[in-house]
Amino acid sequence: SLAAAAANLSSAAGEDGPLTLGDRLTLIDQAIVLLDQTYVHLPLKRSLHAVDPIQRLRLLRYRLSQQDEHTMTDEVAFHNEMTHIFNSVRDLHTNYLLPQPYRSFTAVLPFFLEECFDTTDPEDPVPHYLVSKVAPDEEHPTFAPGVEVLNWNGTPIRRAIQLNAERQAGSNEAAAFARGLDAMTVRPLITTVPPDEDWVTITYRGLDGEMRQVRKEWRLVGAGDNAATRMTSASDAALGLDLQTAAVGEARKHVYARKAAAAEAWAGGQFVATALAVATDHLETHLPGVFRAKTVNDGQYGYIRIFTFSVSDVESFVTEFARLVELMPDAGLIVDVRGNGGGAIGAAERILQTLTPRRIRPARAQFTTSPLLLDLCRRHSPSTDIPDLDLKPWIGSLQQAVATGSEYSRGFPITNEDDANDRGQRYHGPVVLVVDALSYSATDILAAGFIDHRIGLVLGTADNTGAGGANVWRHSDLLFLGGGEGGLRSLPRDAEMRVSVRRITRVGEAEGEVLEDLGIRIDHRHYTSERDILGGNDDLISSAIGLLRAQPERRFRVTLKRRARGRLEVRAETSGVESIEVRIGGKATGTINPADGETQSLTGLPTQSTEVELVGYSGSEVIARKRQQI
């Protein structure tokens, strides 16, 4: 039973001794320092959600100080209280993480529950909750994929999800509900204590239309965060990740896709030398745990699913995405980031360049102002401990803000702007981005950049993305970077905390607008259908194709060859392009008016040149770019 398994965890946790009263007080004191001195969203959260986590921590400390080792509450109850306090700010970057061995496990029910809609009346879509997957080792004659769940322990299912959502940290209603739905069947113990109940009783409508009940027991699986390693690179300092969604994804893979997980030969976003195709209709990829790529609608359109930005090598990630998009048909590309909880901010921002001729301006990041963070930035400007980490740009405004009382530093990009433009455009057709309420953090930043650079249209299966706009660091990162100054001390028994340390603001027409809690505005809402969750997202893909067809047609396939005496041969297959300017070394060397399929020549090519940039125009507007080595 879950109770026995949880008892075993408590026993294992006790191998190093239970948390003493002193340990608990240390955890509370460190949480206060973390939130008071480094939490960038604290003023926003206090105002928007009418919460005061620091005061709640002080009250908890007072109550504990009135107890002794014999009268204090059990350890799980303490972890639960700390979790509730952190969750009160509704920030999935800011967490109290349970210590080992809890955080190495996830509590799961042996089925997967998803929401779909009956859109018979488009003005009033009716939600339904279907079982979309059942664990392979769970045999039952009538409880199978496609059955509709009606009640959960006697509570109407939608109300049960709403009650569960109230315990989640989603920053808006859509995000909280999506995580409440996830947590009905999957609960990573890194961010939550084990469920109170050993089992749930489910009332469902079978495939034959009959009403039935079934009891399903919680089980623990070894899927979770086994240990956090120390920050070692600038990439580690540039993370934006919803840890809970990432843990849910790993648990689902562990339960429902063991063969696929083994075939992927992938762990933590590692690049594999031999490209693999997880399914027969998918393109081969060197990052099979990160991407799924295929053509849809009889090969007319491209589709790429990005499951995560948590990759060990950002360069390999960007290279592989660029390679995949170049294989896609010209008519249009669907980029699907549903359920992507984020990861490396640089990975998310650097793929934008492959989809647009415009120069990418990375989003800006601001620290909250405190002496602790000012000292930390001075220590790492640049860092002698973390390669390529340089916090010098933030020092001047932090120094001034500490004196003037300003709440935030100036904003500077986390992703280097040259890196965000080092590959150039690789796909020239129209693009649709598909998001949902679980698209969070680095994925929110991607979606904002997609809109701010006017790349294409956004299709949402919810009214909001997860609305996570921050760079997240752990307590141990801050302790290491700050050298133990500012009141930060080591945490007992491998405990850990995370905090939004730099908030993200947008660029372009939304210049300065924060992402946190607001998210992005979608162009079109798609209500997930039964065919979507039980099939291959057929209706969702049809909706995306409809949006692709509404955008201007673009084709820009140009090849170059160097000929004798400085002559450059250009072959162009274009659509929607009126003229092509040829640039060498940043200077225009000639213009051609493309006639599809014809070969044209330019003379005067410098013999030492190896890279040429081709710029496509419609009138005076740049609509396509391509860099080519010759």
Side-chain angles (χ1 to χ4, degrees), residues 357-358 425 554 583 615-625:
R358 298 180 178 87
Q425 188 175 12
R554 293 277 188 269
R583 296 180 181 178
V615 184
Y617 287 86
S618 176
S620 60
E621 180 185 4
V622 175
I623 59 171
R625 290 181 190 270

Side-chain angles (χ1 to χ4, degrees), residues 3 80 138 166-167 188 344 409 445-446 459 522 549 590:
N80 201 32
E138 193 76 10
E166 292 175 4
R167 296 189 287 268
S409 71
I445 296 170
L446 168 80
L459 176 65
I522 63 174
R549 287 172 174 162

Side-chain angles (χ1 to χ4, degrees), residues 16-46:
D16 296 326
L19 284 176
T20 66
L21 179 60
D23 290 337
R24 298 184 189 196
L25 293 175
T26 296
L27 286 168
I28 294 170
D29 289 341
Q30 288 301 291
I32 291 172
V33 172
L34 191 74
L35 295 179
D36 186 51
Q37 296 293 311
T38 70
Y39 184 33
V40 71
H41 296 316
L42 186 59
L44 171 68
K45 300 297 185 176
R46 279 173 165 163

Side-chain angles (χ1 to χ4, degrees), residues 505-520:
T505 62
R506 295 173 62 177
V507 298
E509 293 182 1
E511 189 83 39
E513 185 175 302
V514 297
L515 266 178
E516 184 69 21
D517 286 309
L518 299 178
I520 57 99

Side-chain angles (χ1 to χ4, degrees), residues 59-123:
L59 290 172
L60 177 59
R61 193 187 199 289
Y62 173 77
R63 291 200 305 271
L64 280 177
S65 69
Q66 306 304 304
Q67 302 173 5
D68 57 35
E69 299 285 350
H70 304 289
T71 60
M72 64 183 181
T73 57
D74 67 81
E75 187 168 313
V76 171
F78 172 76
H79 292 316
N80 201 32
E81 181 71 16
M82 290 292 286
T83 299
H84 284 170
I85 291 172
F86 273 74
N87 283 355
S88 72
V89 299
R90 301 188 185 183
D91 182 349
L92 293 159
H93 288 128
T94 301
N95 323 97
Y96 174 77
L97 306 183
L98 272 65
Q100 293 287 24
Y102 295 100
R103 72 169 179 240
S104 293
F105 294 89
T106 296
V108 301
L109 289 171
F111 63 95
F112 187 15
L113 188 66
E114 293 192 67
E115 181 183 52
C116 66
F117 292 85
D118 178 354
T119 55
T120 302
D121 180 359
E123 299 299 320

Side-chain angles (χ1 to χ4, degrees), residues 332-359:
L333 174 65
I334 303 163
V335 179
D336 187 348
V337 292
R338 289 174 300 142
N340 187 331
I345 292 172
E349 293 199 291
R350 288 182 61 188
I351 64 172
L352 290 170
Q353 62 183 302
T354 65
L355 305 174
T356 179
R358 298 180 178 87
R359 183 170 179 80

Side-chain angles (χ1 to χ4, degrees), residues 280-303:
T280 56
D281 63 337
H282 291 148
L283 300 179
E284 292 182 344
T285 171
H286 294 286
L287 288 170
V290 177
F291 297 116
R292 295 286 189 277
K294 61 181 180 179
T295 60
V296 295
N297 200 48
D298 296 326
Q300 285 186 290
Y301 300 93
Y303 175 89

